[in-house]
Amino acid sequence: MDNIRDIDEIKARIEEAVKDIKSSATMREIKMKFLGKAGEIPSLMKKLKDLPPEERPAMGKVINALREWAEGRFNEFEKMVKAAEMDERYQKEKIDVTLPGNRRKKGAYHPDTLIVDELVSVFAGMGFEIYEGREIETDYYNFTALNTPKDHPARDMQDTFYLGADYLLRTQTSAGQVHVMESKKPPIKILSPGKVYRPDDDATHSPMFSQMEGLVVDKGITLCDLKGMLDEFAKKIFGSGVKTRLRPSYFPFTEPSVEVDVSCFECGGKGCKLCKGTGWIEVLGAGMVNRAVLENCGIDPDEYTGFAFGMGIERIAMLKYGINNMKLLFEGDVRFSKQFRV
Ligand code: PHE
């Protein structure tokens, strides 16, 4: 072999190859081609044995020197390629920390949520437990067990959405009372918020709305306990100067039944637009749990008595926040909800 010429020629090809290397991947390829196990320089080493023995040491030295030179050269270029690559990456990933960030828009609690939270905290303070009933009920729980059998005229007030013959969308959270009394022995003190459904639709009615039910059953509970508790509730929700009054009413599942009014918190009882000049605003229905309902739930009415109340959350929200159309509560417009942020 023409060793010296081989060596110079390899050197020239290495210089040529490294000159315009752009990536460390091609760098690795070229390095393998010359220095890898089967690369050109190690192959030269293997050919040493074909030389006459006296020439081998000198030639060995020359090849070693070539290998060292090549390694040095590759390392130099490798550094340059890597630095260029890093630079390119920095440029690509560069961010302007002075640019304004992408702000996430803040939501707001719905007025219903604000009222429910407030009611829950007022009643929890009086020792009420939360019970969440079911929205799909049977005719029995929504009506019959609540002393409203199939032929009862009060059913007319709460026509409903039926889901086949046995199931319906509950028209009142009162349906939950029956589940609670069936599964729990007195003393009972529960508060039950939830959605209810009725085929009504106008400025103050929606086919789906929310109610808050309360139920207290124990020995010796009277209408006075209901009145005392309502006074407390009204003061906390509508303001400390507010009074309550009870008016006779009718619900099949309470006896006696009452409609509860609060003195107008807008005009202080003098008469204004909100209270339609009467000085009073109706806020909920209530009464003493009917003996028949207690019996239906396996509670002895001679031993226990109780009261129940139910209010419309949207109605309370509309009164408290001065909202004049119920539809606004169902549009999901955050600009609307934001006005009631606490
Ligand atoms: N469930 C009644 C309604 O929806 C309200 C109510 C609840 C009345 C509890 C008395 C007792 O109109």
Side-chain angles (χ1 to χ4, degrees), residues 158 171-174 177 198 209 211-214 251 253-254 257-258 284-287 308-311:
Q158 294 191 13
T171 61
Q172 46 189 353
T173 43
S174 304
Q177 286 186 27
R198 294 181 196 179
F209 63 103
Q211 282 190 333
M212 178 74 82
E213 188 88 6
F251 299 103
F253 39 91
T254 46
S257 300
V258 293
L284 57 89
F309 59 90
M311 65 187 102

Side-chain angles (χ1 to χ4, degrees), residues 79-105:
K79 264 188 217 148
M80 272 159 50
V81 169
K82 284 221 167 108
E85 277 176 348
M86 282 306 271
D87 206 48
E88 197 184 342
R89 215 178 114 189
Y90 287 144
Q91 290 304 327
K92 242 196 253 160
E93 292 175 3
K94 202 163 155 184
I95 51 163
D96 182 351
V97 292
T98 65
L99 279 177
N102 295 325
R103 266 169 216 273
R104 208 184 271 194
K105 284 201 187 115

Side-chain angles (χ1 to χ4, degrees), residues 3 45 47-61:
N3 296 309
M45 261 323 182
K47 282 193 210 154
L48 274 182
K49 63 177 185 333
D50 303 332
L51 292 178
E54 63 282 8
E55 284 178 28
R56 287 182 201 165
M59 198 55 211
K61 265 190 195 158

Side-chain angles (χ1 to χ4, degrees), residues 1-292:
M1 79 183 180
D2 190 348
N3 296 309
I4 299 307
R5 237 193 50 214
D6 273 1
I7 301 271
D8 286 343
E9 192 257 344
I10 289 177
K11 272 187 166 178
R13 274 194 293 115
I14 288 178
E15 286 293 7
E16 192 60 32
V18 289
K19 218 170 54 198
D20 37 38
I21 284 181
K22 291 271 170 343
S23 73
S24 23
T26 35
M27 183 79 219
R28 269 193 301 278
E29 257 168 50
I30 292 169
K31 217 166 146 181
M32 280 299 280
K33 183 165 177 281
F34 292 97
L35 291 170
K37 242 187 190 151
E40 293 194 31
I41 299 176
S43 310
L44 276 184
M45 261 323 182
K46 277 178 211 146
K47 282 193 210 154
L48 274 182
K49 63 177 185 333
D50 303 332
L51 292 178
E54 63 282 8
E55 284 178 28
R56 287 182 201 165
M59 198 55 211
K61 265 190 195 158
V62 173
I63 299 173
N64 267 333
L66 170 67
R67 205 194 60 226
E68 273 165 34
W69 173 86
E71 278 168 0
R73 209 74 188 110
F74 284 133
N75 285 345
E76 249 169 71
F77 277 91
E78 207 161 15
K79 264 188 217 148
M80 272 159 50
V81 169
K82 284 221 167 108
E85 277 176 348
M86 282 306 271
D87 206 48
E88 197 184 342
R89 215 178 114 189
Y90 287 144
Q91 290 304 327
K92 242 196 253 160
E93 292 175 3
K94 202 163 155 184
I95 51 163
D96 182 351
V97 292
T98 65
L99 279 177
N102 295 325
R103 266 169 216 273
R104 208 184 271 194
K105 284 201 187 115
K106 258 202 202 157
Y109 287 116
H110 190 276
D112 276 13
T113 309
L114 297 176
I115 297 290
V116 170
D117 286 355
E118 210 179 333
L119 289 171
V120 166
S121 87
V122 167
F123 284 103
M126 301 185 206
F128 281 77
E129 263 177 77
I130 303 295
Y131 167 80
E132 285 192 271
R134 46 198 89 170
E135 284 174 41
I136 294 176
E137 271 296 0
T138 60
D139 186 276
Y140 177 77
Y141 285 98
N142 195 79
F143 291 124
T144 310
L146 288 167
N147 205 30
T148 320
K150 283 223 152 68
D151 56 359
H152 199 291
R155 283 207 181 198
D156 267 2
M157 294 191 303
Q158 294 191 13
D159 202 5
T160 188
F161 298 106
Y162 286 89
L163 307 164
D166 299 324
Y167 294 94
L168 48 82
L169 296 180
R170 68 174 172 192
T171 61
Q172 46 189 353
T173 43
S174 304
Q177 286 186 27
V178 182
H179 288 288
V180 171
M181 289 191 281
E182 273 180 355
S183 61
K184 208 169 139 54
K185 293 277 142 258
I188 290 170
K189 211 169 178 187
I190 57 109
L191 190 67
S192 185
K195 295 190 187 86
V196 298
Y197 303 82
R198 294 181 196 179
D200 294 330
D201 200 8
D202 60 37
T204 51
H205 295 90
S206 154
M208 186 278 283
F209 63 103
S210 318
Q211 282 190 333
M212 178 74 82
E213 188 88 6
L215 173 71
V216 174
V217 183
D218 203 353
K219 284 183 181 152
I221 298 289
T222 69
L223 201 64
C224 287
D225 296 308
L226 171 66
K227 174 84 163 93
M229 190 220 65
L230 290 171
D231 279 343
E232 181 85 5
F233 142 81
K235 286 195 172 74
K236 291 243 169 74
I237 301 293
F238 297 109
S240 55
V242 161
K243 291 202 263 308
T244 61
R245 77 172 182 191
L246 307 183
R247 273 183 297 110
S249 184
Y250 176 77
F251 299 103
F253 39 91
T254 46
E255 182 57 38
S257 300
V258 293
E259 215 67 80
V260 180
D261 294 344
V262 297
S263 59
C264 183
F265 42 86
E266 189 83 3
C267 63
K270 284 198 280 298
C272 68
K273 217 171 132 204
L274 185 69
C275 59
K276 299 193 185 88
T278 65
W280 294 92
I281 297 171
E282 182 191 321
V283 288
L284 57 89
M288 297 305 290
V289 181
N290 195 307
R291 288 176 64 91

